[in-house]
Structure formats: C-alpha cells, structure tokens
Amino acid sequence: MSKKNEVTGVDEELTVEELRALIPQLQQLTDKYKRAERIQKALLDISELASTVSHLSNLYPAIHEIIGDFMNADNFYVAFYDKSEDTINFAYFVDEYDEQTVKQVPAEKAKGGVTGYILKSGNNLVFRKNEVDSLFAKIGIKAMGEMPEHLMGVPLKRGKQTIGAMVVQTYDPKVVYTPEDLEVFSFVSQHIVTTVDRVKRSELTERTIRERTRQLREINDDLQEEILERQKVESLQQALFEISELAANLEGDMNAFYSQLHDILARLISAPNCYIAKLDESGKRLEFPYFSDTKSDSVESRRLGLGLTELVLRKGQAELVNPARVLSLAETGELDVTTAQDILKKSTTWLGSPLVVDGEIEGVIAIQSYGTQANYSNKDLELLKFVSHHIASAMERKKRTKAIQKYNQELEERVKNRTEELDNANQVLKKQIEERKEIELKLIHDAHHDSLTDLPNRAMFNSRLELAIASKQRRADNMYAVLFIDLDRFKLINDTLGHHAGDEFLIEVSKRIAHCIRGHDLLARLGGDEFVVLLDNFEDSADVEEVAARIIDAISKPFSLDGKEMYSGASIGIAHVQSHYRAADEVLRDADAAMYQAKTSGRGNYVMFDQSMRERLLEEMEMEAELRKTMRSSEFGQFVQPILSLSDQTPLYHEFYLRWEHPQMGAIAREQFRQVAEHSGLTLDLDMYQLKRACEILKSTQDENMQKLAVNVSITHLLQASLVNKIIDVIEDSGVSPSKIVFEFDENDLNRRSQFILPAIKKLKRAGVTLVLDNFGSGLASLSYLFSYPFDYIKIDHRFIKSLPRSQRNLKLIQSIMLISEHLHFDVIADGITSQSQLDALSNIGCRFGQGKLIASSTYLETTDQDLLAFSN
C-alpha cells in the first residue's frame, strides 16, 4: 500500500506499523458505511411498504421489523392524535411489561405523559431511568406505567404539524440508545408519515371499491329480481287480458270456455289438475261444471260435506292444503278423515280459492298436484287468489251475456210499451212545468210583496226608489217624491180587537191609499203600520201635497172592524228626491224625519222635509251624545220640591227631579231632554239614574223632613217582569226601605199601554212602594184608573189648578175626585199652586195636599265626589 509524500508529491509505500495504525480508522469507516447502507435499505423497505401493504394492521409490524434491524426495538409503539375526537389513538403497541389493551385514550388524560409531551412540544425525547425525576420535573410531565432503562421518542409530523409520536424503549440496562440511533430514528420517522398516509389512502380506496362493488352487486340483484317480477306481471296481465277476451268472445260451449281458462291458468301456475265447483240453486250440493285430472276422468255432483272445497266455502278465503297441514285439519274436524287419508296416500298438494260474485261466494276453483315433486307455496296461493277474482268475473260476465240476450228481447217489447207510457207522461209533465212556472212566478211575487196587503214590500220599493234616484241624477227635471205614512191607534186596535181586526184594518188602509194615488205611482208597506208612496212625474210640489191631503182625509174616515166603528188617522212625511241622494235609505230617512215632525206637531197632517229638519235631527243626535256623557259623569243638577199638607205645611214627601245645565247649550228643559232620552232608548237608564240618586240621598240625608222621595218613572219599566224586579232589587241593594220611595206615573203613558201594567203596579204596591198617578185629567178615560189601579195619591194636572178660582167647572171636577177618593181610599194632591187665590180655593173645598212655587220652592242638592262614587259603584 502506498501513500503520497506531501513534500515531494511522490507515492511512497506504507510501513507495517503505519498500516496497523490505519486499521481502526478503516474499521470505523466500514461500520459507518454499513450503517448507512442499513439505513438506506430501511428507507427503501419503508418506501416499498406503501405499495405492497394494503392495510395499516400489516404496516406497523413491518415498520417495527425494519427499525429492529438497526437498533434494539423490542418495545415499540406508534400513537396518533385525533383532533376531531381530541383523543390519542395507539395504532401499534408492543411492550414486554405493559400489555396495552386500551387503543384510544383522551388527550387530556395523556397530556402529562411522554406521548403527550412529544405531541404537544413536537420535540424529540431521550432519557435514562436515572434521569427521570430531574428531567420530568423540568419539562412538566409525570411517569406513567413501568419506567424503562432507556427511552427514545420522536414526533411524527405532516409538514409543520405534529400528528403523532413513535417511541422505542428498553428495560435492559445494557442497551443504550446513541445520538446516532436518535438521528436514524428521527430520519426514519419523517418517511413513516408519508408511508402511513399512502397506505391509509390505499386502504380507503380499496374499501371504497369493495363497498361500491357490493352496492353494484346488490343493485344488479335487485334489477334481476325486478326483471323477473316484471316478467311475471306481464304474464299475469296477458293472462288477465286473455281471460277478459275469452269471456267477451267465446260463444256456445261452456266446457270449452272452462278448458281455455285452465290453459291460461297453467301458464301462470303448475296446474296439471284443475276443477271448478259451484253451489246449486238450493245451496246444499256441489256441482262440477269443469273437471280435469290425471288420475280421474270425472267427478259426480255431491252434497256438502267436509271436503277441501267445503273448507274454502266455509272460511270464505283461499286455502293451501299439503300433507303437513292435513292432520291438523282432520284433528279439528275441518276435514273428513277419508279425504285426509287420500291426500296423505297420494301426497297431494291442493290450492283452492273462492269465486266471489257481487260479494257472494258462488263456487271454488282448485288445482292440485300429486307426489312430492310439485309443492305449492304461499306465492302460488296469492296468485291463484288474485286470478280467481278475474275468473269469477269472467264466468259471471259469460253468464250475464246469455241473460242479456234474453233480456234484450224482452226489453224491446217493454220499450215499445214504455214509449207509449212516456208519451202520456210527457203530456202530464208539460202540465206540471206550466204549474211550476206559475209557482216560480208566485214565489218571485211573494219575495217582493207584502203577504197581508199584497203591496210591494221594502225590497221592491227600495229597488224602484234606487232607479228613481239614478233617473234624477241623469235628468234633473224628472220629479219624484216619497210619502212616508204612519197610522194612528194601530196598536190600540190590535190590542183591543185582536190581530185579526188589525189585519183587516191594514188591508182597508192599503185600499184607501191606493185610491188616492195614480196608476203609475208605487204604494208599498214597509212593515207594521208604516206605508210609503213613490210619486212619479208630477208638475210641482202642490200635486204632492194634494195627494197627501187626500190620503189623510181617506184614513180619517171611520173603519168598521168586527162590528165596531173605529177611527184612525195618518201622519205623513214628504221628501222630494234630489240629485244629491245616493241611496234609497237616505230618502226614506228624510221622509221618516218629516213624518216624525208631523206627529210631533199634532198628528193628522203632513210635513214637507227641509234642511232645518236635518239640522234638528243632528241637534237631537248631538244632544243625545251630550246626554249620555252627562249621565256617565253625573253632571245633572239635583232638586227636590216638597208636597205639603195645606193645613200645617208639613211635608208629605219630596219630589226629586233633575235639571240639565249644559256648558254650551245652556239650560235644557226637563221635557226636552226626557224626550231625547225616549227617542234614543235612554229612558230606562235615565230613570234608573234618578232612582239610584234618590236612594243615595235618602241614605245620606240628615234632614228629618226629607224621609220620602218621589221619582218620575216611565211606564216602560212596567212592561216586563224583569224590569220591575230590577227596580225592586236596586232599592233593596241600596239599603233603603221601599216605603221611603214614591213612584209617579204619567197618565198619558198609562193611556197607551194600560192593559199590560196592572200586574206590575200591584207588584210594586206589594213591595211597599208608594204609587202616585201624575198629571191626572190630561188624558182620556182617567176615571177608569181610579177604580182599577191601587194608587195611593192622585196628582191633579197643573192646568186644572191654573184655572182656579175663575173656573167653577174645574173646581167642581176637583171636588168630585175628592169625593171619589173617600170611597176608594186615596188622597188628592193639587199640583202647580202659584197664587194665593188658588191656594184659598183649594183650602175652601177641603183639599189636603198641594205642590207649587207658592207654598215651597225647589231646593238644590249638592253633589259630592263621594255621592258620584257611590252611584258609579
């Protein structure tokens, strides 16, 4: 061996000593090359694993074996961090002291150990057993499991992300991991991640391919099964079509019909033997119109027994009978023993299904096979059951075809006879149609006319009035007017003579009004005693007034009802149709307002509507709203005026009444706001208000002279028993004795409804209320009240007192009433005493009680907040 001289540059031979000195270096170099070769081989093997190993379960043992070739790796494990689950999965674990059974642990639990440190820090970890305490304290981990003599762990990284750890460890004190081992171990770990990813992808791809192959195989099997089912369905449809065609086209021999049915059925089910059994007309025997069997030529008709056919007839459903079922049927008595033995002997499998027509079982179709080669299944049973319905229908159609032919012959004859009958019926029908048309016309007439008077009704009148308004809007010179007619005393006639007389009265009124108008004018009845007239094409308003005057004159003449002579009258409101009207109701409203004005002004006349009436109506509506507001806020003035003894001036009782002083309207007369209350339906509320206030005053007053208060009450309270009870309840609830309450009823109210209120008057009397007949002498037939009603006092109307002493006639009248009072046990009160001469005249005739400004003025009562609260409660 030679070496180059560094001075001369000439190769020189080495001496033996020099060669011996070079041996360790050469040996070290040789070991280094061998180690590099092993590493290169290990990397090559790891790279080949990616293409040769298809499952991770085979990959990790192979990696273990490769690492064991160049270092001690008896104890080796690989762990990966699953971020989605936050767990550490031990993909491979081999340890001679620790048998790893848990493949997965929470990352939180493992973070304090060796594996957790490597995953968290991404650093290598190498330590000896004697370094554990100081090192673990330094890096903040703790010992888990048996401590090895030497451990070496490296992170598994994908790029810069640590995804796992690979660890080797030894429990042999003689084994030491060198820095070269750590370098090789770290180098190998970088390639292992790539290999694991490749194997995972390969494994996933293989698993996906297997799953897809399985799915495709299942889909193919399903398609094959569907193809078979479709073929079966097509065969079944074809068979059903042929059965239908057979029933429609085959004529003549029924045996040929049954034979062809057998052929069609045999294509669907193995049916070498087939028969059709039907019940005879008695339903007690079986007949066999068709029988085809390989072991028998024919079968005789027989009585019903315990055969297979009868089994289907009894249960009403398809049956599958095989040798396995025969014994149980025989044991339960469903099948004859002889039949059961025959089935067992021949190994017969039998299918039977009922032939159902119109919900009734008429027979059975059956197929059977002998021997063990052909056994029927439930699918065959279902198929026979399905086909049997169509066979039954085909048989029934065949049967009915013959019946139809016979029926058609009979029908031709019947049609001929029926045609003649229809001709006659047609004549009757034409007559009925004519009668129906007359009925329809009558219904239309009835819908637009009043049933009593046969006059047009409200609907028809409104329709004609709407046309008149439209005509007026198109041509202003067209003249139309509406007369609203209200009759007097209609209710009195109804109540005294009965509804029949009332109907006669309305019919007579309608005739009289009709004679007062022209032929093209329209007269209608709105209901009750209200009539309206639409006047068309008149020249001026004088013509309208003339018609109204004629109507009033005609109705004022006497009526003969039930043999009695009765009088009535009419109040008429007139409204001219103007261009500003938009609806019929507006015209009727104004005509009604004019009629009301006519009644208010004295009845028996007519009033032409003008704008001032509208203004008065609006004023009354405004006053109604203010009245409601005043009642809610209790802003009335409260006054009392005593009724005194004329001899010693002691009070008999005090009359309580309200005054209304409106901030804008000023003082409103009591008659005026009571009239507004009556028109707006507030009379009952106003009376109840006064009664409650009177009860509050009686309960709170300290005045010994004011122990009884009188309240003016509308007769309306006496028309219903519930209202009378309500009055009594209000008095009792207030805590005031009824004996302290006085009710004054106006005679004019009694005149209108006297026949209805006597029971109510008596009920108030029994309750202890004092009763006064107010304004006596102002109405009609006043003396009848003195005898019929239990009044405690009669208050003479102030107009009689006003005429004293100059009217001796009125003075005599008062004396007569006083004389009657002695016999009927009531007292007389003179109302409206305003002068000394009146008082003297009354005293001279012995009148005991009186009321008026002369003897006592009205007293105003203060209203406190406490009073208002008490009333509102």
Side-chain angles (χ1 to χ4, degrees), residues 370-566:
Y370 305 115
T372 58
Q373 298 300 319
N375 291 324
Y376 296 123
S377 64
N378 287 326
K379 282 190 175 182
D380 297 325
L381 179 65
E382 291 298 322
L383 182 59
L384 179 63
K385 183 166 63 174
F386 180 76
V387 174
S388 67
H389 292 303
H390 297 272
I391 292 175
S393 299
M395 292 170 59
E396 182 62 20
R397 286 199 302 273
K398 189 68 178 175
K399 176 182 176 182
R400 288 178 179 177
T401 298
K402 289 186 175 180
I404 288 173
Q405 291 175 352
K406 181 179 178 181
Y407 177 76
N408 286 338
Q409 294 176 354
E410 297 175 354
L411 184 61
E412 290 179 2
E413 185 64 27
R414 290 170 60 188
V415 166
K416 180 180 178 182
N417 297 333
R418 186 59 176 165
T419 301
E420 295 177 358
E421 293 176 2
L422 288 175
D423 288 338
N424 297 330
N426 188 41
Q427 299 300 322
V428 175
L429 185 60
K430 286 182 178 180
K431 184 179 179 181
Q432 290 178 348
I433 291 172
E434 294 297 329
E435 292 175 353
R436 185 64 176 268
K437 288 181 179 179
E438 292 179 2
I439 292 172
E440 289 179 356
L441 292 174
K442 187 177 186 305
L443 289 175
I444 295 172
H445 178 274
D446 292 345
H448 293 85
H449 289 76
D450 175 50
S451 59
L452 177 63
T453 62
D454 202 36
L455 294 177
N457 58 13
R458 181 185 293 271
M460 184 173 178
F461 185 82
N462 282 351
S463 177
R464 285 282 301 274
L465 184 53
E466 295 282 356
L467 294 175
I469 293 172
S471 174
K472 184 68 176 179
Q473 291 172 348
R474 289 194 302 269
R475 294 190 59 181
D477 57 343
N478 288 341
M479 304 292 286
Y480 302 96
V482 172
L483 278 62
F484 199 110
I485 306 166
D486 183 80
L487 305 177
D488 298 334
R489 299 185 185 87
F490 170 67
K491 184 169 181 56
L492 179 62
I493 293 171
N494 243 357
D495 294 341
T496 56
L497 301 181
H499 291 289
H500 176 69
D503 291 346
E504 288 183 357
F505 170 70
L506 292 175
I507 294 172
E508 179 61 26
V509 166
S510 66
K511 292 178 180 179
R512 294 187 185 187
I513 297 175
H515 282 100
C516 297
I517 61 177
R518 299 164 300 176
H520 60 271
D521 295 328
L522 179 65
L523 168 62
R525 182 189 174 207
L526 298 186
D529 61 345
E530 293 180 343
F531 292 82
V532 286
V533 175
L534 176 61
L535 298 180
D536 185 6
N537 292 328
F538 52 87
E539 294 183 358
D540 55 39
S541 58
D543 296 336
V544 179
E545 294 177 10
E546 183 181 347
V547 172
R550 284 203 302 267
I551 293 173
I552 292 173
D553 181 62
I555 295 176
S556 64
K557 294 177 180 179
F559 291 83
S560 178
L561 304 172
D562 285 348
K564 296 181 178 60
E565 190 174 90
M566 300 292 293

Side-chain angles (χ1 to χ4, degrees), residues 480-703:
Y480 302 96
V482 172
L483 278 62
F484 199 110
I485 306 166
D486 183 80
L487 305 177
D488 298 334
R489 299 185 185 87
F490 170 67
K491 184 169 181 56
L492 179 62
I493 293 171
N494 243 357
D495 294 341
T496 56
L497 301 181
H499 291 289
H500 176 69
D503 291 346
E504 288 183 357
F505 170 70
L506 292 175
I507 294 172
E508 179 61 26
V509 166
S510 66
K511 292 178 180 179
R512 294 187 185 187
I513 297 175
H515 282 100
C516 297
I517 61 177
R518 299 164 300 176
H520 60 271
D521 295 328
L522 179 65
L523 168 62
R525 182 189 174 207
L526 298 186
D529 61 345
E530 293 180 343
F531 292 82
V532 286
V533 175
L534 176 61
L535 298 180
D536 185 6
N537 292 328
F538 52 87
E539 294 183 358
D540 55 39
S541 58
D543 296 336
V544 179
E545 294 177 10
E546 183 181 347
V547 172
R550 284 203 302 267
I551 293 173
I552 292 173
D553 181 62
I555 295 176
S556 64
K557 294 177 180 179
F559 291 83
S560 178
L561 304 172
D562 285 348
K564 296 181 178 60
E565 190 174 90
M566 300 292 293
Y567 288 86
S568 181
S571 299
I572 301 178
I574 302 172
H576 287 270
V577 177
Q578 305 294 342
S579 300
H580 63 80
Y581 287 116
R582 291 294 179 268
D585 288 342
E586 297 177 5
V587 184
L588 287 173
R589 176 199 62 199
D590 290 346
D592 188 18
M595 181 275 296
Y596 173 76
Q597 185 67 28
K599 292 185 69 171
T600 305
S601 61
R603 301 176 182 268
N605 60 2
Y606 61 85
V607 171
M608 195 82 68
F609 178 82
D610 58 26
Q611 195 60 33
S612 63
M613 293 181 190
R614 176 74 57 80
E615 293 171 358
R616 283 196 297 273
L617 287 173
L618 293 175
E619 180 182 345
E620 185 171 309
M621 291 174 62
E622 181 181 358
M623 188 176 293
E624 176 190 341
E626 293 299 320
L627 177 60
R628 292 179 184 272
K629 187 188 302 182
T630 304
M631 289 177 64
R632 287 196 299 269
S633 59
S634 299
E635 295 178 355
F636 287 108
Q638 302 175 145
F639 292 83
V640 293
Q641 187 178 41
I643 286 80
L644 300 176
S645 170
L646 299 182
S647 59
D648 57 8
Q649 302 298 304
T650 57
L652 177 64
Y653 64 86
H654 286 74
E655 181 180 356
F656 174 77
Y657 60 92
L658 303 174
R659 284 183 183 171
W660 185 14
E661 188 77 27
H662 192 271
Q664 286 78 36
M665 300 178 184
I668 300 173
R670 184 164 42 158
E671 293 77 8
Q672 185 179 2
F673 72 74
R674 287 196 69 89
Q675 188 179 54
V676 171
E678 182 178 355
H679 294 164
S680 56
L682 294 175
T683 300
L684 297 180
D685 296 332
L686 185 61
D687 287 351
M688 281 298 181
Y689 175 89
Q690 291 185 95
L691 177 59
K692 290 179 181 180
R693 296 303 300 125
C695 291
E696 289 294 328
I697 292 169
L698 285 171
K699 190 173 181 180
S700 60
T701 184
Q702 302 298 323
D703 189 349

Side-chain angles (χ1 to χ4, degrees), residues 71 150 196-197 217 336 347 409 424 491 523 531 552 558 706 736 819:
M71 70 175 66
H150 206 174
V196 169
D197 288 344
R217 187 179 296 110
D336 182 75
S347 298
Q409 294 176 354
N424 297 330
K491 184 169 181 56
L523 168 62
F531 292 82
I552 292 173
M706 195 184 301
V736 174
L819 184 60

Side-chain angles (χ1 to χ4, degrees), residues 4 14 17 119 171 291 341 373 489 605 695:
K4 186 173 286 190
L14 296 175
E17 289 76 10
L119 289 171
Y171 298 96
F291 185 85
Q341 292 174 347
Q373 298 300 319
R489 299 185 185 87
N605 60 2
C695 291

Side-chain angles (χ1 to χ4, degrees), residues 46 64 102 145 169 204 268 275 337 638 667 678 691 770 812 826 850 861:
I46 290 173
H64 187 186
V102 180
Q169 54 190 2
L204 179 61
L268 302 174
Y275 69 84
V337 175
Q638 302 175 145
E678 182 178 355
L691 177 59
T770 302
K812 294 292 184 183
F826 62 82
L861 298 178

Side-chain angles (χ1 to χ4, degrees), residues 54-73:
S54 60
H55 297 285
L56 292 175
S57 59
N58 298 328
L59 174 65
Y60 296 119
I63 293 174
H64 187 186
E65 184 178 353
I66 291 170
I67 293 174
D69 286 344
F70 55 85
M71 70 175 66
N72 184 296

